[in-house]
Amino acid sequence: MSKYLGIKNVRHRRLETLLIVFLILPLLLLVVHAEGDQGFPTTMSAVEELCHTPQFNETIVMYGPSQTYVTKMVTTSSGLAYRIENNLYGIKSYNGISYLAFNPLTGTVCYYGNFTNVVPSAAVWSYPEAVVDGYKPWDGYPVYNIYRSNLTLPSRVIDLLKSGGGGYSWIRVTYSVAYSPATFPVDFAFDIWMLYNPHEVGAITKPDLELMIWLFFNNTNITWAEVGTTEIPIIVDGVYRNVTFAVLVSCNFPWTYVAVVPQDIGNTTEAGGWRSATVEFQLAPFLNTILQFVPLKECATGLSSIPVKNVTYLENLTMVDIELGMEFGDRLSSGAAGYVYNIDFLRGLPINEKVTTTTVTVTSTTETTTTSTVTSTVTTTSTVTSISTTTIIRQQAPMQLLIALVILVIIVVAALVLILARR
């Protein structure tokens, strides 16, 4: 009997050990998942330190005053391609460093720049970036990722907006922004080009359009071209909600310029957005914003057959790329800026959530100067009000569901072990 009891006790101890392991595993998964969701640094010193870690072994380093533009193709360990570009297009000369780095293991882009004695040539010094899909029309270098077949570029706007089109794929970016001094002008933004001629390389002209989706900006006035506001459903740090965006449209570039700028709670026309966050969104509501707002300004196409950019014209423009980076600088002589980000293109799972938004727009009255690549002239506009309704579908990201299922399985197994241990 004592031998039997001893064997039984040993078995119980083993089962209890297994039970402890199974109960600890879900906690470890949650901890690891939480660690992966932690934000990137938001101070210049911390961003600089991160960019110099050994994992960021693909780099473009430029020192003034002769270097202002260098580009490089990079790939992740999973085979995704990016083109990183260290681009100081708005600086004639400078002292300092512009350091762009890439981590192939994680697909993380890291940048910092410290500048003194800057002689600017434009209102914006720089847009260090990564071309994450398509081809940049200024230089024509292609980045085509076969794993992103749900968002194939080039593609016409009207095709992206079809049911099930690429405009309804979800883009997720986790990022942080740093700058110094506190008044230094910056904006962290997507830059998307839409061309009348989809094969155009080397020059953007009057028939074309630029869309910028700003996620954060500081000390950058947006009233120079604001024509109204719109509400767009996005996800910020896991919270799904309607966010108010200001819409800027200018016809005074060599092309038509559109920027969609967050005006969330606490934001102003000088600063806003999220300095460090994970943001998920669909392109479709932003593309619909172009169709709604640009015709109000009656921007010229430069074509005799179609004098102004109406809805039909805009629907047939071809979206050729998606870029992500940061504009910074102004008519200043010194400053520092940096960022870190990861980006994913999500196909999602068939767990849908519908959100309906109503948009009310009112035009402003004047334009003054642009904070992008070209200085615009003063233009007077009329006041127009319009209302539209949009419904979009958010598809749940697969990783979140996978983690939930794994934790559920572990808990069930742990419960079974507990039942057996009591016998």
Side-chain angles (χ1 to χ4, degrees), residues 319-340:
M319 178 174 156
V320 297
D321 80 336
I322 300 174
E323 309 165 27
L324 179 57
M326 184 167 66
E327 295 180 306
F328 58 83
D330 202 338
R331 304 292 182 180
L332 306 172
S333 60
S334 64
Y339 63 74
V340 188

Side-chain angles (χ1 to χ4, degrees), residues 243-316:
V243 172
T244 299
F245 287 83
V247 182
L248 284 61
V249 180
S250 175
C251 309
N252 296 319
F253 289 71
W255 56 90
T256 297
Y257 173 83
V258 180
V260 187
V261 181
Q263 290 288 272
D264 210 11
I265 298 173
N267 293 179
T268 69
T269 57
E270 295 284 343
W274 310 275
R275 183 170 178 177
S276 179
T278 295
V279 176
E280 300 174 61
F281 65 93
Q282 293 172 306
L283 281 173
F286 294 94
L287 297 177
N288 280 320
T289 296
I290 292 173
L291 302 183
Q292 179 182 351
F293 283 87
V294 172
L296 300 178
K297 297 299 293 280
E298 297 185 344
C299 296
T301 65
L303 306 171
S304 57
S305 56
I306 311 174
V308 297
K309 291 185 171 78
N310 56 31
V311 171
T312 301
Y313 178 90
L314 294 167
E315 287 178 331
N316 284 281

Side-chain angles (χ1 to χ4, degrees), residues 184-394:
F184 194 56
V186 303
D187 67 77
F188 182 75
F190 285 89
D191 199 16
I192 297 170
W193 292 98
M194 302 176 192
L195 306 184
Y196 176 74
N197 175 8
H199 306 293
E200 187 175 33
V201 174
I204 309 299
T205 56
K206 200 70 174 178
D208 304 323
L209 183 143
E210 176 186 15
L211 168 65
M212 297 197 78
I213 302 172
W214 291 16
L215 300 181
F216 175 79
F217 65 106
N218 180 67
N219 198 24
T220 304
N221 192 291
I222 64 171
T223 58
W224 61 274
E226 184 178 353
V227 295
T229 60
T230 185
E231 285 190 343
I232 295 178
I234 65 173
I235 301 171
V236 181
D237 290 331
V239 179
Y240 191 74
R241 55 199 173 94
N242 294 325
V243 172
T244 299
F245 287 83
V247 182
L248 284 61
V249 180
S250 175
C251 309
N252 296 319
F253 289 71
W255 56 90
T256 297
Y257 173 83
V258 180
V260 187
V261 181
Q263 290 288 272
D264 210 11
I265 298 173
N267 293 179
T268 69
T269 57
E270 295 284 343
W274 310 275
R275 183 170 178 177
S276 179
T278 295
V279 176
E280 300 174 61
F281 65 93
Q282 293 172 306
L283 281 173
F286 294 94
L287 297 177
N288 280 320
T289 296
I290 292 173
L291 302 183
Q292 179 182 351
F293 283 87
V294 172
L296 300 178
K297 297 299 293 280
E298 297 185 344
C299 296
T301 65
L303 306 171
S304 57
S305 56
I306 311 174
V308 297
K309 291 185 171 78
N310 56 31
V311 171
T312 301
Y313 178 90
L314 294 167
E315 287 178 331
N316 284 281
L317 291 178
T318 298
M319 178 174 156
V320 297
D321 80 336
I322 300 174
E323 309 165 27
L324 179 57
M326 184 167 66
E327 295 180 306
F328 58 83
D330 202 338
R331 304 292 182 180
L332 306 172
S333 60
S334 64
Y339 63 74
V340 188
Y341 72 77
N342 279 109
I343 186 169
D344 297 299
F345 290 73
L346 307 177
R347 291 180 179 158
L349 295 176
I351 299 177
N352 300 328
E353 181 179 359
K354 292 185 178 180
V355 173
T356 301
T357 67
T358 301
T359 301
V360 179
T361 70
V362 181
T363 63
S364 62
T365 55
T366 60
E367 291 183 351
T368 53
T369 56
T370 174
T371 56
S372 185
T373 54
V374 179
T375 301
S376 64
T377 58
V378 176
T379 303
T380 301
T381 64
S382 59
T383 300
V384 180
T385 301
S386 63
I387 299 176
S388 67
T389 301
T390 304
T391 299
I392 72 166
I393 297 176
R394 194 272 196 240

